Amino acid sequence: MSKVRTGLRYSAEHEWIDGGSPATVGISEVAADALGEIVYVDLPETGATIAVGEVVGEVESTKSVSELFSPVAGEVVEVNDAAVADPAIINSDPYGEGWLFRVAVAEEGPLLSAEQYAADNGAEL
């Protein structure tokens, strides 16, 4: 069963965001497990202005390609080059080394608590 990390908030599209400034964004273990072996990730450019719900990249696995949606609006201040170089770290550590990008948040979209997200997706905390 996939794990959901407490202390983070989640979008219905399976992205997580922490409360940092800038905020760190990644995909949940639920999403990583559903995708299977991730082989490619396309992330927004540093300096890009993104909007809530906007497609900002994609995650490709041996099974499928999934769009990456932004849970917040703001400016991308950093991307995880390690995840681009070795996308498998998203599978092995989606809440740690497998983070995707950091944003100076201007506005948040609708976000779920860890408890709500886990209940909606049959995952455990």
Side-chain angles (χ1 to χ4, degrees):
M1 180 176 283
S2 298
K3 300 265 190 207
V4 172
R5 180 168 290 174
T6 58
L8 302 174
R9 291 175 297 151
Y10 297 82
S11 71
E13 292 80 21
H14 307 290
E15 289 80 20
W16 60 261
I17 186 164
D18 69 7
S21 182
T24 302
V25 176
I27 64 168
S28 70
E29 186 174 305
V30 171
D33 288 351
L35 283 165
E37 183 184 348
I38 297 171
V39 295
Y40 174 77
V41 64
D42 178 42
L43 299 175
E45 303 263 334
T46 300
T49 300
I50 57 176
V52 172
E54 176 181 15
V55 175
V56 294
E58 65 182 28
V59 180
E60 184 176 330
S61 72
T62 54
K63 290 198 247 180
S64 67
V65 176
S66 205
E67 292 180 323
L68 181 63
F69 298 91
S70 179
V72 295
E75 181 182 343
V76 177
V77 296
E78 185 180 359
V79 297
N80 186 351
D81 292 328
V84 172
D86 181 15
I89 66 171
I90 299 167
N91 289 111
S92 62
D93 192 10
Y95 301 118
E97 295 299 315
W99 64 274
L100 300 179
F101 58 95
R102 293 195 169 112
V103 182
V105 177
E107 175 188 353
E108 291 185 351
L111 297 169
L112 304 170
S113 69
E115 294 77 12
Q116 291 168 313
Y117 181 78
D120 288 353
N121 291 282
E124 63 185 20
L125 297 176

